[in-house]
Short mmCIF file of all heavy atoms in Angstrom, two decimals:
data_model
loop_
_atom_site.label_atom_id
_atom_site.label_comp_id
_atom_site.label_asym_id
_atom_site.label_seq_id
_atom_site.Cartn_x
_atom_site.Cartn_y
_atom_site.Cartn_z
N LYS A 738 87.21 100.33 72.96
CA LYS A 738 86.80 99.47 74.08
C LYS A 738 87.98 99.19 74.99
O LYS A 738 87.84 99.17 76.22
CB LYS A 738 86.22 98.17 73.54
CG LYS A 738 84.92 98.34 72.77
CD LYS A 738 84.40 97.00 72.25
CE LYS A 738 83.11 97.16 71.47
NZ LYS A 738 82.64 95.87 70.92
N THR A 739 89.15 98.94 74.38
CA THR A 739 90.34 98.66 75.20
C THR A 739 90.70 99.87 76.05
O THR A 739 91.02 99.73 77.24
CB THR A 739 91.52 98.29 74.28
OG1 THR A 739 91.18 97.13 73.51
CG2 THR A 739 92.77 98.00 75.11
N GLU A 740 90.63 101.05 75.45
CA GLU A 740 90.97 102.26 76.21
C GLU A 740 89.99 102.46 77.36
O GLU A 740 90.40 102.81 78.47
CB GLU A 740 90.94 103.47 75.28
CG GLU A 740 91.34 104.76 75.98
CD GLU A 740 91.29 105.97 75.07
OE1 GLU A 740 90.84 105.80 73.92
OE2 GLU A 740 91.66 107.05 75.51
N ALA A 741 88.69 102.23 77.10
CA ALA A 741 87.69 102.39 78.16
C ALA A 741 87.95 101.40 79.30
O ALA A 741 87.83 101.74 80.48
CB ALA A 741 86.29 102.19 77.59
N LYS A 742 88.32 100.18 78.94
CA LYS A 742 88.60 99.16 79.96
C LYS A 742 89.82 99.56 80.80
O LYS A 742 89.81 99.42 82.03
CB LYS A 742 88.84 97.81 79.28
CG LYS A 742 89.08 96.66 80.26
CD LYS A 742 89.24 95.35 79.52
CE LYS A 742 89.49 94.20 80.50
NZ LYS A 742 89.67 92.92 79.78
N ILE A 743 90.86 100.05 80.15
CA ILE A 743 92.06 100.46 80.88
C ILE A 743 91.76 101.63 81.80
O ILE A 743 92.21 101.67 82.96
CB ILE A 743 93.19 100.81 79.89
CG1 ILE A 743 93.66 99.54 79.14
CG2 ILE A 743 94.37 101.46 80.61
CD1 ILE A 743 94.69 99.82 78.08
N GLN A 744 90.98 102.59 81.31
CA GLN A 744 90.62 103.74 82.14
C GLN A 744 89.83 103.30 83.36
O GLN A 744 90.00 103.83 84.46
CB GLN A 744 89.80 104.75 81.32
CG GLN A 744 90.61 105.51 80.28
CD GLN A 744 91.67 106.39 80.90
OE1 GLN A 744 91.56 106.81 82.04
NE2 GLN A 744 92.71 106.69 80.14
N HIS A 745 88.95 102.30 83.16
CA HIS A 745 88.17 101.77 84.29
C HIS A 745 89.10 101.11 85.31
O HIS A 745 88.92 101.29 86.53
CB HIS A 745 87.15 100.75 83.77
CG HIS A 745 86.32 100.12 84.85
ND1 HIS A 745 85.41 100.84 85.59
CD2 HIS A 745 86.29 98.84 85.33
CE1 HIS A 745 84.84 100.03 86.48
NE2 HIS A 745 85.36 98.83 86.34
N MET A 746 90.08 100.37 84.83
CA MET A 746 91.04 99.74 85.74
C MET A 746 91.85 100.77 86.51
O MET A 746 92.11 100.62 87.71
CB MET A 746 91.97 98.81 84.93
CG MET A 746 91.27 97.62 84.30
SD MET A 746 92.35 96.68 83.19
CE MET A 746 93.47 95.95 84.38
N ILE A 747 92.24 101.85 85.82
CA ILE A 747 92.99 102.91 86.49
C ILE A 747 92.15 103.55 87.58
O ILE A 747 92.62 103.79 88.70
CB ILE A 747 93.44 103.97 85.46
CG1 ILE A 747 94.50 103.38 84.52
CG2 ILE A 747 93.97 105.22 86.15
CD1 ILE A 747 94.89 104.31 83.38
N GLN A 748 90.86 103.81 87.27
CA GLN A 748 89.99 104.45 88.24
C GLN A 748 89.80 103.57 89.47
O GLN A 748 89.81 104.07 90.61
CB GLN A 748 88.63 104.76 87.59
CG GLN A 748 87.67 105.51 88.49
CD GLN A 748 88.19 106.87 88.90
OE1 GLN A 748 89.02 107.45 88.23
NE2 GLN A 748 87.70 107.39 90.03
N LYS A 749 89.63 102.27 89.26
CA LYS A 749 89.45 101.35 90.39
C LYS A 749 90.68 101.37 91.29
O LYS A 749 90.57 101.33 92.53
CB LYS A 749 89.20 99.93 89.87
CG LYS A 749 87.82 99.72 89.29
CD LYS A 749 87.63 98.29 88.81
CE LYS A 749 87.69 97.31 89.96
NZ LYS A 749 87.44 95.92 89.50
N ARG A 750 91.85 101.43 90.70
CA ARG A 750 93.08 101.43 91.50
C ARG A 750 93.29 102.76 92.23
O ARG A 750 93.84 102.78 93.32
CB ARG A 750 94.27 101.08 90.60
CG ARG A 750 94.34 99.59 90.35
CD ARG A 750 94.92 99.21 89.01
NE ARG A 750 94.90 97.75 88.88
CZ ARG A 750 93.82 97.07 88.57
NH1 ARG A 750 92.66 97.68 88.38
NH2 ARG A 750 93.87 95.75 88.50
N ARG A 751 92.86 103.84 91.63
CA ARG A 751 92.94 105.11 92.32
C ARG A 751 92.02 105.13 93.53
O ARG A 751 92.37 105.65 94.60
CB ARG A 751 92.58 106.24 91.36
CG ARG A 751 93.71 106.57 90.37
CD ARG A 751 93.30 107.62 89.37
NE ARG A 751 94.44 108.05 88.56
CZ ARG A 751 94.34 108.72 87.42
NH1 ARG A 751 93.14 109.05 86.96
NH2 ARG A 751 95.42 109.08 86.75
N LEU A 752 90.83 104.56 93.35
CA LEU A 752 89.91 104.47 94.48
C LEU A 752 90.47 103.58 95.58
O LEU A 752 90.28 103.85 96.77
CB LEU A 752 88.55 103.94 94.00
CG LEU A 752 87.75 104.88 93.08
CD1 LEU A 752 86.49 104.19 92.58
CD2 LEU A 752 87.38 106.17 93.83
N LYS A 753 91.15 102.50 95.17
CA LYS A 753 91.73 101.60 96.16
C LYS A 753 92.84 102.30 96.94
O LYS A 753 92.99 102.09 98.15
CB LYS A 753 92.29 100.35 95.45
CG LYS A 753 92.93 99.34 96.39
CD LYS A 753 91.98 98.85 97.45
CE LYS A 753 90.88 98.00 96.86
NZ LYS A 753 90.04 97.40 97.95
N ILE A 754 93.61 103.17 96.26
CA ILE A 754 94.64 103.94 96.96
C ILE A 754 94.01 104.84 98.01
O ILE A 754 94.49 104.95 99.14
CB ILE A 754 95.47 104.76 95.95
CG1 ILE A 754 96.39 103.83 95.14
CG2 ILE A 754 96.31 105.81 96.66
CD1 ILE A 754 97.21 104.55 94.10
N GLN A 755 92.89 105.50 97.63
CA GLN A 755 92.20 106.35 98.59
C GLN A 755 91.70 105.54 99.77
O GLN A 755 91.78 105.99 100.93
CB GLN A 755 91.03 107.06 97.90
CG GLN A 755 91.45 108.05 96.82
CD GLN A 755 90.26 108.70 96.15
OE1 GLN A 755 89.11 108.44 96.49
NE2 GLN A 755 90.54 109.56 95.17
N GLU A 756 91.18 104.36 99.48
CA GLU A 756 90.68 103.50 100.56
C GLU A 756 91.81 103.10 101.51
O GLU A 756 91.65 103.13 102.74
CB GLU A 756 90.05 102.24 99.95
CG GLU A 756 89.56 101.24 100.99
CD GLU A 756 89.07 99.95 100.35
OE1 GLU A 756 88.65 100.00 99.18
OE2 GLU A 756 89.14 98.90 101.02
N ILE A 757 92.95 102.75 100.94
CA ILE A 757 94.08 102.34 101.78
C ILE A 757 94.60 103.51 102.60
O ILE A 757 94.91 103.36 103.79
CB ILE A 757 95.20 101.74 100.90
CG1 ILE A 757 94.74 100.40 100.29
CG2 ILE A 757 96.49 101.54 101.70
CD1 ILE A 757 95.73 99.80 99.33
N LYS A 758 94.70 104.68 101.98
CA LYS A 758 95.17 105.85 102.73
C LYS A 758 94.21 106.18 103.87
O LYS A 758 94.63 106.56 104.97
CB LYS A 758 95.30 107.04 101.79
CG LYS A 758 96.49 106.95 100.84
CD LYS A 758 96.59 108.19 99.97
CE LYS A 758 97.83 108.12 99.07
NZ LYS A 758 97.95 109.32 98.20
N HIS A 759 92.90 106.03 103.60
CA HIS A 759 91.92 106.28 104.66
C HIS A 759 92.08 105.26 105.78
O HIS A 759 91.96 105.61 106.97
CB HIS A 759 90.51 106.20 104.07
CG HIS A 759 89.43 106.45 105.07
ND1 HIS A 759 89.29 107.65 105.71
CD2 HIS A 759 88.44 105.63 105.55
CE1 HIS A 759 88.25 107.58 106.55
NE2 HIS A 759 87.73 106.37 106.46
N SER A 760 92.36 104.01 105.42
CA SER A 760 92.57 102.98 106.43
C SER A 760 93.78 103.31 107.29
O SER A 760 93.78 103.08 108.51
CB SER A 760 92.77 101.61 105.76
OG SER A 760 91.62 101.23 105.05
N VAL A 761 94.82 103.87 106.65
CA VAL A 761 96.01 104.26 107.41
C VAL A 761 95.68 105.38 108.39
O VAL A 761 96.13 105.38 109.53
CB VAL A 761 97.14 104.69 106.44
CG1 VAL A 761 98.31 105.26 107.22
CG2 VAL A 761 97.60 103.50 105.60
N ASP A 762 94.85 106.34 107.93
CA ASP A 762 94.45 107.43 108.82
C ASP A 762 93.67 106.90 110.02
O ASP A 762 93.92 107.31 111.16
CB ASP A 762 93.60 108.45 108.05
CG ASP A 762 94.39 109.19 106.99
OD1 ASP A 762 95.64 109.23 107.11
OD2 ASP A 762 93.78 109.71 106.04
N LEU A 763 92.73 105.99 109.76
CA LEU A 763 91.97 105.40 110.86
C LEU A 763 92.87 104.60 111.79
O LEU A 763 92.71 104.61 113.01
CB LEU A 763 90.86 104.50 110.30
CG LEU A 763 89.75 105.20 109.53
CD1 LEU A 763 88.75 104.17 109.00
CD2 LEU A 763 89.03 106.22 110.40
N SER A 764 93.83 103.91 111.16
CA SER A 764 94.77 103.13 111.96
C SER A 764 95.57 104.03 112.89
O SER A 764 95.82 103.70 114.06
CB SER A 764 95.72 102.35 111.04
OG SER A 764 96.75 101.74 111.77
N GLU A 765 95.97 105.20 112.38
CA GLU A 765 96.73 106.14 113.20
C GLU A 765 95.88 106.65 114.36
O GLU A 765 96.37 106.80 115.49
CB GLU A 765 97.20 107.30 112.33
CG GLU A 765 98.02 108.35 113.07
CD GLU A 765 99.31 107.78 113.64
OE1 GLU A 765 99.85 106.82 113.06
OE2 GLU A 765 99.76 108.29 114.68
N GLU A 766 94.61 106.91 114.07
CA GLU A 766 93.72 107.37 115.14
C GLU A 766 93.56 106.29 116.21
O GLU A 766 93.61 106.57 117.42
CB GLU A 766 92.36 107.74 114.56
CG GLU A 766 92.38 108.95 113.65
CD GLU A 766 91.03 109.23 113.04
OE1 GLU A 766 90.06 108.51 113.40
OE2 GLU A 766 90.93 110.15 112.21
N ASP A 767 93.32 105.06 115.76
CA ASP A 767 93.18 103.95 116.71
C ASP A 767 94.45 103.76 117.51
O ASP A 767 94.42 103.51 118.73
CB ASP A 767 92.83 102.66 115.97
CG ASP A 767 91.42 102.70 115.40
OD1 ASP A 767 90.64 103.57 115.84
OD2 ASP A 767 91.12 101.88 114.51
N ALA A 768 95.59 103.87 116.82
CA ALA A 768 96.87 103.69 117.51
C ALA A 768 97.06 104.75 118.59
O ALA A 768 97.49 104.46 119.71
CB ALA A 768 98.02 103.73 116.52
N GLY A 769 96.72 106.00 118.25
CA GLY A 769 96.84 107.05 119.24
C GLY A 769 95.93 106.85 120.43
O GLY A 769 96.33 107.07 121.59
N ARG A 770 94.71 106.42 120.13
CA ARG A 770 93.75 106.16 121.21
C ARG A 770 94.22 105.03 122.12
O ARG A 770 94.16 105.12 123.35
CB ARG A 770 92.38 105.85 120.61
CG ARG A 770 91.29 105.68 121.64
CD ARG A 770 89.92 105.68 120.99
NE ARG A 770 89.85 104.81 119.84
CZ ARG A 770 89.76 105.24 118.58
NH1 ARG A 770 89.77 106.53 118.33
NH2 ARG A 770 89.70 104.39 117.57
N GLU A 771 94.71 103.98 121.49
CA GLU A 771 95.18 102.85 122.29
C GLU A 771 96.41 103.21 123.11
O GLU A 771 96.57 102.79 124.26
CB GLU A 771 95.51 101.67 121.36
CG GLU A 771 94.30 101.00 120.74
CD GLU A 771 93.41 100.34 121.78
OE1 GLU A 771 93.97 99.74 122.73
OE2 GLU A 771 92.18 100.42 121.65
#
């Protein structure tokens, strides 16, 4: 159970990294447009 919980936490943080990187990409696009 502990291992499953840790793996779930790792997955959530990996998804959060993808979300942040995507936000940076959108930010760059907005910055260029502005």
Side-chain angles (χ1 to χ4, degrees):
K738 294 179 180 178
T739 300
E740 182 181 5
K742 183 177 180 181
I743 292 176
Q744 289 295 336
H745 179 67
M746 294 173 70
I747 291 174
Q748 184 62 24
K749 286 181 64 177
R750 280 149 182 79
R751 284 176 173 165
L752 292 175
K753 180 58 69 173
I754 288 179
Q755 295 179 2
E756 177 186 334
I757 292 175
K758 287 182 177 180
H759 180 64
S760 298
V761 173
D762 293 339
L763 293 178
S764 172
E765 181 62 29
E766 293 177 4
D767 290 343
R770 185 168 48 251
E771 289 296 321

